[in-house]
Amino acid sequence: MILNYKEFKAYLDTLTYRPKLMLHSCCAPCSSHVLFLLKDYFEITIFYSNDNIYPYEEYERRLKEEIRFCKEIDSTLQVIFDPYNEDDFNTTISGMEHLGEKTKRCYACYKLRLEKTARKAKELGYEYFTTTLSISPYKNSEWINEIGRKLENIYQIKYLYSNFKKEEGYKHSIALSKAYDLYRQDYCGCKYSKEEQERRNEKGKEN
């Protein structure tokens, strides 16, 4: 079991071939650094599964930007996605809607998306699955890895440890976003994070 980023980096160098990796992505900017970090070690497929994103137009915009970015960096890089199902997200976070970010609401959202990724990876015969979510300084990497390890045991498919904000990964994703002119949203994705960001923006204007 990989317990930290140092062990993760050392593990990459032990790979003797490029295993198939299902990489869950929430958006092109978050996937940018991760793809550049992992593409020489894994045969990657992007899995865009984000029922949390609100509104649907935002979901579509992020998906189209993901597809455009992947085509630009590697024409063979495949992006697959499952149908948008807002009901899945709403059911998952029922009763936790207004807890705020970095709470049980986010934990449940991570689990929803990671579990769909694990299922898809297992269904399609991939060896590994992981997510780009940990690149964000606003995401709890310990929670993400805890969920990933649990799903590894449930679905019997390897989870690749992730804390992609390490080694200035988030900073690199910002640089890549500028280089590829990627759309960067100013909220995590869900209706509630959007409302929370809007309140912060309003408060900032008052101060």
Side-chain angles (χ1 to χ4, degrees):
M1 179 187 295
I2 299 172
L3 298 176
N4 56 54
Y5 190 78
K6 183 178 180 180
E7 290 181 6
F8 160 75
K9 289 298 292 291
Y11 177 70
L12 293 181
D13 290 330
T14 68
L15 295 173
T16 56
Y17 68 105
R18 292 173 68 229
K20 294 178 68 176
L21 168 69
M22 183 73 70
L23 175 62
H24 167 264
S25 177
C26 54
C27 62
C30 286
S31 70
S32 60
H33 166 74
V34 181
L35 285 169
F36 275 87
L37 175 66
L38 297 180
K39 64 184 178 63
D40 292 335
Y41 298 98
F42 294 91
E43 182 183 332
I44 300 172
T45 294
I46 291 286
F47 184 49
Y48 184 83
S49 180
N50 299 293
D51 300 315
N52 61 307
I53 296 177
Y54 174 89
Y56 179 69
E57 291 75 18
E58 176 73 16
Y59 169 92
E60 280 196 316
R61 184 176 185 182
R62 295 190 196 188
L63 174 56
K64 288 177 181 177
E65 195 72 341
E66 182 75 69
I67 293 170
R68 178 181 73 83
F69 173 64
C70 288
K71 284 182 178 178
E72 286 195 27
I73 64 169
D74 183 351
S75 61
T76 67
L77 188 56
Q78 187 179 12
V79 178
I80 63 175
F81 56 94
D82 56 7
Y84 181 69
N85 190 338
E86 189 179 7
D87 288 343
D88 275 1
F89 173 70
N90 291 334
T91 300
T92 295
I93 58 109
S94 179
M96 298 180 280
E97 291 88 345
H98 300 293
L99 289 182
E101 293 198 51
K102 299 183 179 180
T103 66
K104 291 180 180 179
R105 185 187 76 196
C106 293
Y107 187 98
C109 182
Y110 301 162
K111 184 176 182 296
L112 171 67
R113 291 184 279 173
L114 268 168
E115 186 154 20
K116 289 196 174 188
T117 306
R119 286 175 180 166
K120 181 61 69 173
K122 184 71 173 182
E123 173 192 334
L124 298 180
Y126 281 67
E127 295 173 66
Y128 291 82
F129 76 101
T130 195
T131 178
T132 66
L133 288 171
S134 69
I135 196 169
S136 169
Y138 305 104
K139 300 292 189 296
N140 188 317
S141 298
E142 290 185 7
W143 284 357
I144 291 166
N145 287 307
E146 176 186 293
I147 293 165
R149 292 184 186 112
K150 288 179 179 178
L151 294 172
E152 177 179 65
N153 291 329
I154 293 169
Y155 291 98
Q156 293 298 297
I157 181 170
K158 294 177 184 176
Y159 170 72
L160 182 67
Y161 172 94
S162 71
N163 192 353
F164 297 122
K165 63 177 70 66
K166 293 288 189 178
E167 295 186 314
E168 298 192 321
Y170 181 66
K171 184 177 179 180
H172 186 217
S173 75
I174 294 173
L176 288 169
S177 295
K178 291 179 180 178
Y180 288 90
D181 193 27
L182 299 178
Y183 162 63
R184 290 183 64 86
Q185 61 283 350
D186 66 354
Y187 67 104
C188 174
C190 76
K191 173 183 179 180
Y192 309 101
S193 67
K194 181 177 175 63
E195 291 172 351
E196 289 155 13
Q197 183 60 48
E198 288 170 350
R199 286 196 291 271
R200 286 192 290 268
N201 292 343
E202 286 299 317
K203 189 173 181 180
K205 290 178 183 177
E206 293 172 1
N207 295 334

